[in-house]
Amino acid sequence: MRKERYLVGLDVGTSKVTAVVAEMLDSAGLEIVGLGVAESRGIRRGVVVNLEAAVDSIKRAIDEAELMAGVEIDSVHLALSGPHIKGFNSRGVIAVAGKNREITREDVRRAIDAAKAVSLPTGREILHVLPQDFVVDEQEGIGAPVGMTGARLEVNVHIVTGSQSATQNIVACVNRAGVNVAETVVEQLAASESVLTEDEKELGVALVDIGGGTTDIAIFERGSLWHTAVVGVGGDHFTNDIAVGLRTPVPDAEKIKRKCGCALSGMVDEDDTMEVASVGGRKPRVMARRILSEILQPRAEEIFHLVWDEIRRAGHEKTLNSGIVLTGGGAILDGMPEIAEQIFDLPIRRGCPTGVGGLTDHVNSPTFATGVGLALYGFRNFAADQGRAPIGAGALVRAAGRLRGLFREFF
Ligand SMILES: Nc1ncnc2c1ncn2[C@@H]1O[C@H](COP(=O)(O)OP(=O)(O)OP(=O)(O)O)[C@@H](O)[C@H]1O
Ligand SMILES: [Mg+2]
């Protein structure tokens, strides 16, 4: 079997390691053919804390995915996440070089180079430079300037940076597990590929990925990324609150959360009860489900208020015309969209991966948004490199794809 027909997304999360194998079809589509999921050990909030344990988790996910897909995995698209990921906007300006002032790819490259010539603190590196739009002379909001005429070319970009050592350590773990890293992609960007529609990105949307240890935010408008941020609270905080509040062991707290949890106490019937395991070998107790909700609700409110702070800081509180899309395992919790709707007063939906065929029922959960999105990200770049547009994409997407493809040549 030809390996170049396959794209593999590897998401090494705080809670679980996921390997998604996708096959590129000749009809220009992408089909899921394998999935491997292993409990994550040795990784906390995107940072390796125990190398051996992390390597072992990665190996298990890869092995399972290989078995299911019937192919050998030798390279992956790897997701990067954690509080060390930071994003900011920058602008580059150049004088157009050619005799008749016709803008060439070389001019675009120089403008992007100028935009990314920012000084970073030691130990940090640029992970993505994503062009937002161009300005030719005074004309703003240009998507693809090559071939246009002008004296001055400006580009607005979103730059995502991360800690060099955090990236090196996770890449080293993947290498030790026997696979190469074809490309690294920031988690929110990968997840956005699989859960957001082009219309949402065009109109203005915030993607909120509630993982185990962190909540990752990405804000899109006019088809481009404008803001990335990470909030240091995630789904595991709910579990810990339950463990403390109901005095039950953490694994039981996790089970109760998944089975009976609801983030909005008003949605829970007052007469509903549940059984709670006790610590120290005591007998299980029967408690009202309302109590559980009253523990979960303040945490959900905290996360969404922190997210709202980020949206406001970025100046996007009035531009999210398509509202907010919740994804990641934490978004599965009952009542999350409802409480978010109350806090943001915007349309809210849960985002499950779409845009792929094959074994879709295996990956049809917000937890797999990043894994599937990584494969889609790789596919989009592959299609752009081939000069072929991905399926179902509008003109703007094609422009973005070309930009990224063009940019990748130089970066
Ligand atoms: N059915 C469910 N109900 C409620 N919470 C859930 C459910 N399934 C998973 N979760 C929670 O989702 C969180 C894990 O989310 P996810 O799998 O997206 O994390 P991750 O990608 O491993 O972590 P991170 O992105 O922070 O590194 C955990 O806190 C888990 O308890
Ligand atoms: Mg995640």
Side-chain angles (χ1 to χ4, degrees), residues 11-16 18 79 81 187 191 209-214 216 328-329 366-367 370-371:
D11 175 20
V12 186
T14 304
S15 310
K16 44 129 195 52
T18 315
S81 65
E187 175 155 22
D209 176 344
I210 309 169
T214 55
D216 304 340
T367 8
T370 305

Side-chain angles (χ1 to χ4, degrees), residues 231-245:
V231 168
V233 189
D236 293 349
H237 292 80
F238 290 92
T239 307
N240 291 333
D241 292 346
I242 298 171
V244 173

Side-chain angles (χ1 to χ4, degrees), residues 277-294:
S278 298
V279 280
R282 292 187 195 89
K283 271 205 308 212
R285 297 149 289 162
V286 174
M287 295 177 101
R289 236 186 108 204
R290 253 291 168 82
I291 297 178
L292 177 64
S293 275
E294 280 159 9

Side-chain angles (χ1 to χ4, degrees), residues 84-88 120 124-128 159-163:
H84 67 96
I85 306 284
K86 302 235 160 28
F88 59 90
L120 295 177
R124 294 195 67 80
E125 63 181 341
I126 293 181
L127 301 171
H128 296 280
I159 296 181
V160 186
T161 68
S163 147

Side-chain angles (χ1 to χ4, degrees), residues 104-321:
T104 62
R105 286 162 70 96
E106 173 62 19
D107 293 317
V108 172
R109 186 189 72 88
R110 282 196 301 121
I112 293 172
D113 274 348
K116 69 175 217 243
V118 286
S119 66
L120 295 177
T122 37
R124 294 195 67 80
E125 63 181 341
I126 293 181
L127 301 171
H128 296 280
V129 180
L130 303 156
Q132 293 161 329
D133 57 10
F134 294 87
V135 183
V136 177
D137 293 340
E138 299 302 302
Q139 178 115 31
E140 292 189 10
I142 291 169
V146 174
M148 294 177 78
T149 311
R152 174 189 158 99
L153 175 69
E154 286 176 53
V155 62
N156 292 313
V157 297
H158 185 73
I159 296 181
V160 186
T161 68
S163 147
Q164 240 163 7
S165 58
T167 305
Q168 275 163 5
N169 285 333
I170 190 131
V171 169
C173 286
V174 176
N175 292 155
R176 277 227 210 168
V179 284
N180 297 315
V181 175
E183 205 164 332
T184 53
V185 188
V186 167
E187 175 155 22
Q188 302 91 305
L189 199 57
S192 73
E193 289 285 335
S194 74
V195 301
L196 297 183
T197 66
E198 295 308 329
D199 285 345
E200 283 172 330
K201 285 193 252 186
E202 196 56 40
L203 285 168
V205 68
L207 178 77
V208 176
D209 176 344
I210 309 169
T214 55
T215 295
D216 304 340
I217 306 163
I219 300 175
F220 291 84
E221 209 193 303
R222 282 176 278 140
S224 309
L225 182 58
W226 290 84
H227 187 70
T228 34
V230 179
V231 168
V233 189
D236 293 349
H237 292 80
F238 290 92
T239 307
N240 291 333
D241 292 346
I242 298 171
V244 173
L246 300 184
R247 291 204 209 94
T248 191
V250 171
D252 293 291
E254 178 71 28
K255 273 191 222 138
I256 293 170
K257 177 177 83 172
R258 292 186 186 211
K259 197 162 154 241
C260 313
C262 180
L264 187 61
S265 60
M267 278 171 69
V268 180
D269 203 61
E270 275 186 61
D271 304 329
D272 271 6
T273 55
M274 59 184 184
E275 195 169 275
V276 180
S278 298
V279 280
R282 292 187 195 89
K283 271 205 308 212
R285 297 149 289 162
V286 174
M287 295 177 101
R289 236 186 108 204
R290 253 291 168 82
I291 297 178
L292 177 64
S293 275
E294 280 159 9
I295 294 173
L296 297 173
Q297 183 161 338
R299 195 54 97 173
E301 286 169 355
E302 182 199 9
I303 293 185
F304 291 133
H305 281 128
L306 290 168
V307 169
W308 194 226
D309 286 347
E310 276 300 331
I311 292 172
R312 256 209 311 263
R313 192 171 311 152
H316 284 268
E317 71 270 34
K318 295 219 167 61
T319 63
L320 300 178
N321 298 311

